[in-house]
Amino acid sequence: MALPALQSSSVSFRKILSQFPQDFSLAFAYGSAVFRQTGSSQGHMRRNMLDFVFAVDDPVTWHTMNLMENRKHYSFLRLLGPKHISRIQSEYGAGVYFNTLIPADDRLIKYGVISTDALIDDLLHWKTLYIAGRLHKPVQILLQNENGALRAALLRNLKSAVLASFLMLPESFSEEDLYLQIAGLSYSGDFRMVIGEDKAKVSNIVKDNMQHFRKLYSNILQECPQVVYKPQQGRLEVDKSPEGQFTQLMALPRSLQQQITLLVDRPGKNRDVEEILLQVAQDPDCGAIVQQGISSIVKSSSLTQSAKGIATAGLFKTVSYSARKLQKMWRGWRRKPIISQ
């Protein structure tokens, strides 16, 4: 099953995509230049940097070709060659190599390159939640090949986001509450939400894009035996019994289960994961424990990926990119009094 894409993929996005080596297993655009967010105009969207992620089966070959076609996109690390660039991509941070502030068709773009295997691993297990978290939210799919394992992992990632959110929500909640919880998963624990991002970012993402979230999640919600989904009323009721929560916990991605185990299991006890999750399922603070586990994953990957970004972007671009983020945060602060009236 493919992720739902926007009905009409932008010709301009595809034109930009044509400037790169075409060996993609998945290519998508995301962020505030693709989907309107609360408080932003079409003019703002056009001025925002356009973000892409490219998944490729063979990063060394892809970077080799891209260095020949787009050498200026890379920082000083281009001098190391494609093998070392691929090694930096895979062994540090969240397994993604970003080139940023790239001029393309009269606008600026940023693109991240990740191996297909690393992407599938993150989608299934949430080792970093870096790209998996971006794919919890609507994206514009530009190209997707027939890799069955990748398609299954994309769907599994969405189901995991739903189950994790169920555990952190009350028994009854609105559809918007669910999407706010899902959209916030990959920002939980991210140090950039302290400085560098608009504090209302999650709300801004969801409120103007409810229809896109429904495209992603309505089938999953209708087929999930753990929830009563009332799309006409926009309400959901989830099983919050210990048995229901245990079922949800057992279906969470492996890395999140491991983080929960580390939080709950006292040193020296060495109980198995199933025993610990059974205990958590009966804990009144079950949702808070799940939240803390997610925050631990995101905090680690956001720090290491941002540190890597200084090298992959270069100092000048790092300063420029950070200034743009702070400017967006400042605009968010200025909007607050207007929105609250």
Side-chain angles (χ1 to χ4, degrees):
M1 176 180 175
L3 284 179
L6 294 179
Q7 287 297 315
S8 56
S9 293
S10 168
V11 172
S12 64
F13 294 174
R14 292 183 176 277
K15 187 177 178 183
I16 292 171
L17 198 66
S18 70
Q19 300 172 24
F20 295 93
Q22 294 298 294
D23 297 336
F24 304 121
S25 59
L26 178 71
F28 64 87
Y30 66 95
S32 58
V34 183
F35 296 91
R36 180 178 293 185
Q37 297 182 7
T38 303
S40 67
S41 64
Q42 285 288 353
H44 275 134
M45 289 178 69
R46 180 71 190 177
R47 290 194 295 272
N48 287 341
M49 187 159 57
L50 181 57
D51 296 315
F52 296 94
V53 166
F54 305 148
V56 300
D57 291 343
D58 184 346
V60 175
T61 299
W62 195 90
H63 284 296
T64 299
M65 297 170 65
N66 199 43
L67 280 164
M68 289 190 288
E69 296 178 23
N70 301 301
R71 189 172 181 82
K72 290 183 178 179
H73 291 185
Y74 293 81
S75 69
F76 67 94
L77 294 178
R78 65 180 178 269
L79 301 174
L80 300 178
K83 288 185 179 180
H84 283 91
I85 286 173
S86 299
R87 186 164 161 265
I88 291 166
Q89 173 186 311
S90 62
E91 294 184 11
Y92 300 94
V96 196
Y97 190 102
F98 278 103
N99 284 326
T100 189
L101 294 173
I102 307 299
D105 286 3
D106 299 322
R107 65 188 308 172
L108 291 176
I109 71 168
K110 177 181 75 175
Y111 63 93
V113 184
I114 184 170
S115 76
T116 306
D117 287 344
L119 175 58
I120 290 173
D121 186 63
D122 195 34
L123 293 168
L124 292 177
H125 304 304
W126 287 11
K127 183 178 179 182
T128 70
L129 254 179
Y130 202 85
I131 301 301
R134 279 163 173 71
L135 286 162
H136 290 160
K137 299 172 276 289
V139 302
Q140 184 163 358
I141 302 291
L142 301 173
L143 188 149
Q144 184 175 354
N145 69 13
E146 295 301 319
N147 185 322
L150 176 57
R151 288 173 180 269
L154 287 164
L155 180 57
R156 180 70 254 171
N157 181 49
L158 297 180
K159 290 180 177 179
S160 296
V162 167
L163 292 175
S165 296
F166 283 172
L167 288 159
M168 292 183 282
L169 287 163
E171 185 175 4
S172 177
F173 48 90
S174 71
E175 199 171 355
E176 184 174 316
D177 290 336
L178 173 64
Y179 299 147
L180 286 168
Q181 189 71 60
I182 289 172
L185 292 176
S186 62
Y187 296 115
S188 177
D190 190 336
F191 78 97
R192 292 170 299 180
M193 294 303 290
V194 178
I195 182 166
E197 291 286 6
D198 184 350
K199 300 302 180 292
K201 186 178 181 78
V202 173
S203 176
N204 293 343
I205 289 170
V206 173
K207 288 187 180 298
D208 280 1
N209 293 290
M210 286 289 290
Q211 74 275 23
H212 297 309
F213 276 92
R214 287 193 186 102
K215 274 188 178 181
L216 279 178
Y217 292 104
S218 61
N219 287 343
I220 292 171
L221 294 174
Q222 288 168 358
E223 295 170 4
C224 180
Q226 299 257 304
V227 67
V228 177
Y229 176 39
K230 304 172 183 176
Q232 299 303 320
Q233 294 94 342
R235 300 292 303 180
L236 300 98
E237 296 173 8
V238 69
D239 184 358
K240 301 297 286 186
S241 69
E243 294 80 10
Q245 294 196 141
F246 178 65
T247 300
Q248 293 157 24
L249 287 163
M250 287 296 291
L252 291 178
R254 183 179 63 204
S255 293
L256 179 52
Q257 290 180 338
Q258 291 170 344
Q259 287 296 326
I260 292 170
T261 299
L262 290 173
L263 290 168
V264 175
D265 199 26
R266 290 196 298 272
K269 293 199 73 173
N270 297 320
R271 294 177 294 165
D272 63 34
V273 172
E274 186 172 342
E275 182 183 353
I276 293 165
L277 295 183
L278 184 59
Q279 175 188 328
V280 173
Q282 301 173 69
D283 194 319
D285 294 325
C286 174
I289 295 169
V290 173
Q291 176 83 53
Q292 197 174 345
I294 292 171
S295 295
S296 298
I297 294 170
V298 173
K299 181 179 181 180
S300 176
S301 63
S302 66
L303 281 169
T304 55
Q305 183 65 37
S306 294
K308 183 170 80 172
I310 297 172
T312 59
L315 184 59
F316 176 76
K317 285 187 176 181
T318 297
V319 173
S320 298
Y321 181 72
S322 299
R324 291 170 69 90
K325 283 290 187 181
L326 290 170
Q327 187 179 38
K328 285 180 72 175
M329 182 177 70
W330 173 246
R331 285 204 304 265
W333 283 347
R334 293 185 63 188
R335 282 199 303 270
K336 279 185 179 180
I338 298 172
I339 292 170
S340 62
Q341 287 176 356

